[in-house]
Amino acid sequence: MTQVRVTVDGVNYADDVEPRLLLAQYLRETLGKTGTLIGCDTSNCGACTVSLNGRSVKSCSVLAVQADGGEVTTIEGLARDGQLHPVQEAFRECHGLQCGYCTPGMIMAAVDLLGDNPDPNEEEVREGIEGNLCRCTGYQNIVRAVQSAAQNMKPGAGATTSPSATPVAGGGN
């Protein structure tokens, strides 16, 4: 066993884990962050995408020990004070989901994209989410949702561009 210390959605955790435990498994099984979905176990689908130290990663391809000392944001950590993150709200408003299986990973990839490119055109959105697969929507409404979020996140639009978590002391198992 190896100890891992990580901040997840603003809460600090310290847990003993098997060195081969995937970050996706740690988040789901140890911390109960079930919004991080495991779709393919091969890092092809992107359903497990989370933010690790400010960058989106497929958590099924990262070991939990690799996140040691890091900060992880999951889909559960985006909403603040009962308010959906602008990307979450845009997916809801623009019908950017159908079955919803890809949605958490798609949203996390979109948040990362908009952090790098706050005003992407359609091609840039498609490139930014290309590592995330959706089998239901045809991507039209997903692209529309990301562009809508970009507009809503512009200064003066009334939404914030990134969640500002205040870490709360806590412990895992």
Side-chain angles (χ1 to χ4, degrees):
M1 298 293 267
T2 302
Q3 186 169 80
V4 63
R5 293 181 183 278
V6 64
T7 302
V8 179
D9 298 336
V11 178
N12 297 319
Y13 295 91
D15 292 294
D16 290 327
V17 300
E18 290 287 334
R20 67 181 181 270
L21 183 70
L22 296 174
L23 180 58
Q25 294 168 314
Y26 174 71
L27 293 170
R28 290 181 59 78
E29 297 165 15
T30 304
L31 302 185
K33 300 291 185 174
T34 56
T36 301
L37 302 176
I38 299 173
C40 67
D41 282 331
T42 60
S43 77
N44 287 318
C45 76
C48 67
T49 302
V50 298
S51 174
L52 174 59
N53 298 324
R55 301 305 307 175
S56 64
V57 298
K58 293 178 181 178
S59 62
C60 76
S61 65
V62 175
L63 297 172
V65 295
Q66 290 176 293
D68 187 39
E71 186 169 328
V72 176
T73 303
T74 69
I75 191 72
E76 290 98 334
L78 286 182
R80 294 286 180 241
D81 301 323
Q83 294 288 100
L84 293 177
H85 184 280
V87 176
Q88 291 172 306
E89 182 64 29
F91 267 69
R92 188 180 70 78
E93 289 290 322
C94 296
H95 308 287
L97 59 111
Q98 283 184 20
C99 83
Y101 205 84
C102 72
T103 305
M106 207 55 93
I107 288 173
M108 296 306 295
V111 168
D112 190 35
L113 166 67
L114 294 177
D116 290 338
N117 182 353
D119 193 20
N121 62 35
E122 180 179 343
E123 182 179 330
E124 292 167 330
V125 171
R126 289 181 183 279
E127 283 180 21
I129 62 170
E130 71 182 353
N132 294 70
L133 301 178
C134 176
R135 294 182 175 152
C136 300
T137 67
Y139 298 94
Q140 274 37 338
N141 288 346
I142 292 171
V143 172
R144 194 171 300 129
V146 174
Q147 290 183 304
S148 175
Q151 294 305 308
N152 292 334
M153 292 168 63
K154 285 185 176 181
T160 58
T161 58
S162 65
S164 56
T166 303
V168 178
N173 301 359

